[in-house]
Amino acid sequence: MATTRTGDTVLDLSTCDAVFLSFDEPNADTHFARVLELLPHAKRVHGVEGFDAAHRQAGELAASDHVITIDADNLLIDDLFFTGTFDVSPRDRGAVFSFSARNVLNALEYGNGGVKIWPREALVTLRSHENAQRREAAVDFCWTTPYFQVNRVLSEVHMTASPFQAFRGGFREGVKFNLAGGILAYEAWPDLPKGEALFQHIGAANLERLRIWCSVGVDAPNGDWAIFGARLGCVMTALEDFDHVRVADYGWIETFWRQDVLQNWNDAAARRDKTLELGARLNDDLGLKIADLDAAASRFIKSTYRPQRAFGMTMTA
């Protein structure tokens, strides 16, 4: 339910439907129990294959004009936010509001995995990922849907509960950070060296996030899998002409994991050697200056790092 005050839509968050989205995350039940502590009326969509399909079902389950979504790898940490209100300017009533989440793997804070407030209409009419009608929407909805990043941390992302969860999360971000506006850096800037094209296209903040994904977190359980995934995803996309759209295909990434990744790099020593090789390629060919950190260095980085923030609306075409 929404009331109007001085021209704004004031969302009473306690009356907004909330939907928890889970697929195969090992920590999903624990995180949903936490959601129910703060949002006892929350509903759950579980086991629906595809980002677009799961979000559409969330919209169909909801009845309120605005809907809160929480991903399964999110642990809610803000006890007060959901009891309050959220003001939305009339011109932004059709926008998605994405709140920052702190990733416990590497201390990054941005919209990845964070709580979101959607207009219900945007959920039920979503066309992204596996159902994208435009290639720009095939990896993320944020490039074709009006989208605000809100720099309030409502949750922690715990995405390394299993080797596969850690690899999948790192691989996806390693691929995604080669894009801006849904377009690859090397397609947008074909005449530039790839490292320069990447910086020009994704900007300093996202370049920093990519470097951290590829460097920090070996101290966390399965953290080496996440770093390996991020480096592999970036190398395949930037240097090996990988079709980045595949990263949104749940079936493809599971098959890739079983038939390729586990077959070749399940052994810790082999995986470590491959991780170093991938890092050297990223440094030599893209100039990323990523680091091979031990557990103590990773912990130190996380204890001192202050993430860059994003502001305003993500422009869509």
Side-chain angles (χ1 to χ4, degrees):
M1 180 180 297
T3 58
T4 302
R5 182 179 67 199
T6 62
D8 287 355
T9 297
V10 181
L11 302 181
D12 180 349
L13 297 174
S14 67
T15 66
C16 290
D17 285 330
V19 183
F20 182 80
L21 301 164
S22 58
F23 185 66
D24 61 1
E25 301 81 1
N27 38 20
D29 290 345
T30 299
H31 291 175
F32 186 50
R34 172 59 175 161
V35 169
L36 291 175
E37 291 177 5
L38 300 181
L39 296 161
H41 61 289
K43 302 174 174 66
R44 183 172 181 177
V45 170
H46 178 71
V48 175
E49 185 166 323
F51 178 100
D52 190 87
H55 281 74
R56 279 170 166 268
Q57 186 165 325
E60 291 165 1
L61 280 177
S64 55
D65 290 341
H66 283 78
V67 183
I68 300 165
T69 62
I70 303 117
D71 291 350
D73 56 9
N74 259 231
L75 179 65
L76 297 182
I77 60 173
D78 192 321
D79 293 343
L80 299 178
F81 177 77
F82 300 102
T83 64
T85 60
F86 187 69
D87 291 357
V88 180
S89 169
R91 68 179 181 180
D92 300 325
R93 287 173 184 164
V96 179
F97 294 88
S98 175
F99 293 81
S100 291
R102 184 180 189 275
N103 196 314
V104 298
L105 168 73
N106 51 34
L108 286 171
E109 293 178 6
Y110 63 113
N112 175 246
V115 173
K116 293 171 177 61
I117 299 176
W118 299 74
R120 180 178 176 276
E121 183 67 15
L123 280 174
V124 298
T125 60
L126 192 64
R127 293 288 189 278
S128 72
H129 294 75
E130 74 278 8
N131 290 323
Q133 296 178 334
R134 297 168 55 187
R135 190 168 174 84
E136 294 89 338
V139 173
D140 208 320
F141 74 91
C142 67
W143 292 313
T144 55
T145 301
Y147 172 96
F148 277 98
Q149 178 63 41
V150 184
N151 292 307
R152 175 167 175 170
V153 176
L154 301 184
S155 60
E156 293 176 342
V157 177
H158 294 256
M159 42 71 66
T160 63
S162 71
F164 178 52
Q165 187 187 25
F167 171 81
R168 180 175 59 188
F171 185 82
R172 182 177 188 276
E173 293 302 282
V175 171
K176 181 180 170 183
F177 278 123
N178 285 269
L179 297 101
I183 300 171
L184 284 170
Y186 325 106
E187 294 175 358
W189 303 84
D191 296 329
L192 292 179
K194 286 193 169 182
E196 188 176 344
L198 185 63
F199 177 77
Q200 290 289 341
H201 195 55
I202 70 172
N206 279 339
L207 189 67
E208 178 181 283
R209 290 170 183 145
L210 174 59
R211 294 178 65 213
I212 289 174
W213 269 104
C214 291
S215 302
V216 179
V218 73
D219 59 303
N222 299 312
D224 63 323
W225 276 112
I227 294 169
F228 173 74
R231 293 186 183 191
L232 182 63
C234 190
V235 164
M236 288 174 61
T237 306
L239 305 177
E240 297 179 354
D241 296 322
F242 170 65
D243 182 4
H244 64 278
V245 172
R246 286 183 172 181
V247 78
D249 184 333
Y250 287 28
W252 178 86
I253 199 165
E254 184 174 359
T255 299
F256 179 57
W257 165 257
R258 287 187 287 102
Q259 296 184 1
D260 197 325
V261 176
L262 282 182
Q263 291 297 317
N264 292 295
W265 301 300
N266 192 39
D267 176 76
R271 184 166 66 254
R272 173 64 177 170
D273 289 345
K274 185 64 175 179
T275 300
L276 294 173
E277 176 195 320
L278 293 168
R281 290 186 67 186
L282 292 172
N283 287 338
D284 292 344
D285 296 343
L286 298 180
L288 284 190
K289 300 179 181 178
I290 59 177
D292 299 309
L293 305 176
D294 62 16
S298 277
R299 286 192 292 270
F300 176 76
I301 293 292
K302 290 190 282 188
S303 71
T304 58
Y305 176 65
R306 296 296 176 265
Q308 295 194 43
R309 292 183 167 191
F311 294 92
M313 176 179 278
T314 297
M315 300 306 294
T316 58

